[in-house]
Amino acid sequence: MMLELRPTCEHCNKPLPPDSPEARICSYECTFCAACVENVLHDVCPNCGGGFVPRPIRPAQAWRPGLSLTDRPASTERHASPYPSDEIAAFSARLQGVPPEKR
Ligand SMILES: [Zn+2]
Ligand SMILES: [Zn+2]
């Protein structure tokens, strides 16, 4: 098992290449851009209700054998959140006042 580096924001579809400092993930690897997390989701994952952290950047070169982006490439499978924008807004409004560690 390793972290799935998903290719795009699941809300606005912005490309999030593996070296992007803008990628944010929840504990289930749901992946969004920093702008969506801040301005749309308000640190509430629309899929699971959890909070977000910056996605770690996998080293491009193998500093240890077999462990690099070349050996373990990023995912190319796009995911899209199944919830419409108004539902996401309501869900986020319900949970954003509660810190992730209390949800
Ligand atoms: Zn986005
Ligand atoms: Zn999630």
Side-chain angles (χ1 to χ4, degrees), residues 16-73:
L16 294 171
D19 63 350
S20 172
E22 289 181 55
R24 301 289 181 268
I25 55 171
C26 80
S27 75
Y28 293 102
E29 306 176 324
C30 307
T31 304
F32 296 89
C33 72
C36 282
V37 166
E38 193 174 327
N39 305 318
V40 179
L41 307 175
H42 305 284
D43 203 28
V44 177
C45 176
N47 303 323
C48 72
F52 290 97
V53 295
R55 186 177 68 188
I57 292 176
R58 187 166 299 163
Q61 71 179 91
W63 300 100
R64 297 287 193 184
L67 299 176
S68 72
L69 202 53
T70 311
D71 299 292
R72 311 283 178 116

Side-chain angles (χ1 to χ4, degrees), residues 4-25:
E4 185 185 351
L5 302 173
R6 298 181 182 174
T8 53
C9 173
E10 295 173 35
H11 184 64
C12 74
N13 215 28
K14 179 187 178 123
L16 294 171
D19 63 350
S20 172
E22 289 181 55
R24 301 289 181 268
I25 55 171

Side-chain angles (χ1 to χ4, degrees), residues 77-96:
E77 192 186 327
R78 289 178 174 217
H79 292 246
S81 182
Y83 305 103
S85 291
D86 56 341
E87 203 279 347
I88 289 176
F91 187 72
S92 179
R94 218 168 92 213
L95 289 175
Q96 64 185 258

